[in-house]
């Protein structure tokens, strides 16, 4: 399938998928693009999608970006999911260790230049792993942030040069938690401690009442995205 054919198919399916369930989107995605992967950050949206993918196609690759700076609760959530599903997550690491990063860029780079830190520990590793696939699945939802408001359930990812599926793009936060409760899905316990959006430990804080759900990410800076999606 050439690029033009892909774009035509994507546009047709994007309209059709608007009224489809996440499971229908995932099933079509995997059948149409067998060389597909799911990027898991172990947040509420992503554990839902892991559960769906395990029920539909347990052999589908699921990877995570190990920045070396995740909360211990995030790693514990990963381990519990491995035990429950009997699966292996593909671990994708930055090219340099935290120690090498500190030596080259100074201590606590995330406080001086968070974009550079994200590029080193997230964007470059993601770019590297996605070159191995034809399509990827994400947990993006439109109401997470203004930058995600126009996300479609399938689109062509110009930045990484492959097809991108966002099966729960139209879901609300309550839809996510309804699925978690109904299906007894393992989730990161930090969600119960006012962490609606969970990233690296150094760049994530609790969200106070009345704040936006992503206010805890890169607090005190104008940064709103790590660069993986926008």
């Amino acid at each position: 399938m050439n690029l033009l054919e892909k774009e035509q198919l994507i546009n047709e399916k994007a309209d059709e998928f608007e009224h489809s369930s996440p499971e229908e989107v995932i099933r079509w995605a995997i059948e149409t693009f067998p060389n597909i992967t799911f990027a898991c950050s172990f947040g509420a949206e992503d554990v839902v999608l892991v559960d769906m993918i395990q029920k539909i196609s347990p052999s589908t690759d699921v990877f995570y970006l190990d920045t070396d700076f995740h909360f211990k609760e995030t790693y514990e959530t990963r381990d519990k999911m491995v035990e429950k599903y009997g699966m292996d997550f593909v671990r994708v690491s930055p090219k340099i260790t935290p120690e090498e990063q500190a030596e080259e860029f100074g201590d606590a780079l995330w406080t001086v230049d968070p974009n550079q830190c994200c590029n080193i520990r997230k964007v470059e590793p993601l770019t590297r792993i996605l070159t191995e696939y034809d399509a990827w699945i994400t947990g993006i939802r439109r109401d997470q942030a203004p930058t995600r408001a126009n996300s479609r359930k399938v689109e062509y990812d110009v930045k990484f040069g492959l097809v991108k599926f966002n099966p729960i793009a139209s879901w609300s936060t309550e839809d996510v938690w309804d699925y978690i409760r109904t299906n007894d899905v393992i989730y990161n316990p930090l969600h119960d401690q006012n962490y609606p959006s969970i990233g690296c430990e150094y760049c994530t804080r609790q969200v106070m009442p009345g704040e936006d759900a992503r206010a805890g990410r890169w607090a005190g800076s104008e940064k709103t995205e790590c660069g993986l999606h926008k």
Side-chain angles (χ1 to χ4, degrees):
M1 189 183 301
N2 62 39
L3 181 57
L4 184 62
E5 290 172 331
K6 280 185 182 178
E7 289 178 343
Q8 185 175 4
L9 180 62
I10 287 166
N11 288 331
E12 292 173 356
K13 298 304 290 188
D15 292 334
E16 178 184 331
F17 284 152
E18 191 56 34
H19 305 291
S20 300
S21 70
E23 290 89 347
E24 290 174 314
V25 176
I26 291 168
R27 187 171 291 106
W28 187 87
I30 293 171
E31 289 174 354
T32 309
F33 299 94
N35 187 31
I36 193 171
T37 187
F38 171 51
C40 180
S41 65
F42 304 105
E45 291 81 6
D46 290 355
V47 298
V48 162
L49 287 167
V50 167
D51 188 75
M52 291 180 180
I53 291 169
Q54 285 296 302
K55 291 173 179 175
I56 295 169
S57 176
S59 63
T60 294
D61 284 354
V62 179
F63 75 87
Y64 72 102
L65 302 176
D66 192 351
T67 65
D68 299 304
F69 296 148
H70 289 307
F71 288 91
K72 67 178 181 61
E73 289 87 350
T74 300
Y75 291 114
E76 289 168 356
T77 301
R78 174 202 61 190
D79 294 343
K80 289 177 181 177
M81 295 179 76
V82 168
E83 182 178 354
K84 175 177 180 177
Y85 298 110
M87 63 182 294
D88 290 319
F89 289 96
V90 177
R91 178 176 179 263
V92 184
S93 300
K95 287 186 175 179
I96 60 176
T97 66
E99 293 75 21
E100 290 168 337
Q101 178 172 302
E103 183 176 341
E104 183 173 352
F105 298 98
D107 291 332
L109 176 61
W110 51 90
T111 65
V112 180
D113 190 347
N115 286 324
Q116 174 77 317
C117 191
C118 281
N119 282 336
I120 294 169
R121 313 212 72 78
K122 290 184 177 181
V123 179
E124 188 284 325
L126 178 67
T127 303
R128 186 173 2 112
I129 187 68
L130 289 184
T131 61
E132 301 178 15
Y133 296 93
D134 299 321
W136 68 311
I137 300 169
T138 85
I140 282 179
R141 292 189 298 104
R142 292 170 190 151
D143 69 359
Q144 287 172 323
T147 52
R148 303 180 180 190
N150 297 318
S151 299
R152 307 197 76 186
K153 293 186 179 180
V154 57
E155 51 196 12
Y156 187 75
D157 193 327
V158 177
K159 181 170 185 174
F160 297 111
L162 72 174
V163 182
K164 180 178 183 179
F165 291 89
N166 309 307
I168 59 172
S170 61
W171 274 22
S172 66
T173 300
E174 191 55 37
D175 290 330
V176 173
W177 286 99
D178 280 346
Y179 186 95
I180 288 173
R181 289 188 289 264
T182 301
N183 294 275
D184 194 25
V185 176
I186 292 166
Y187 66 88
N188 194 322
L190 289 175
H191 286 308
D192 294 331
Q193 301 172 40
N194 297 323
Y195 286 89
S197 178
I198 304 167
C200 293
E201 183 173 9
Y202 298 120
C203 295
T204 309
R205 66 159 173 82
Q206 291 174 307
V207 171
M208 298 298 104
E211 287 187 316
D212 180 81
R214 288 182 68 83
R217 303 293 297 276
W218 305 285
S221 75
E222 296 181 359
K223 185 175 172 63
T224 60
E225 292 279 358
C226 55
L228 303 186
H229 301 294
K230 293 293 180 182

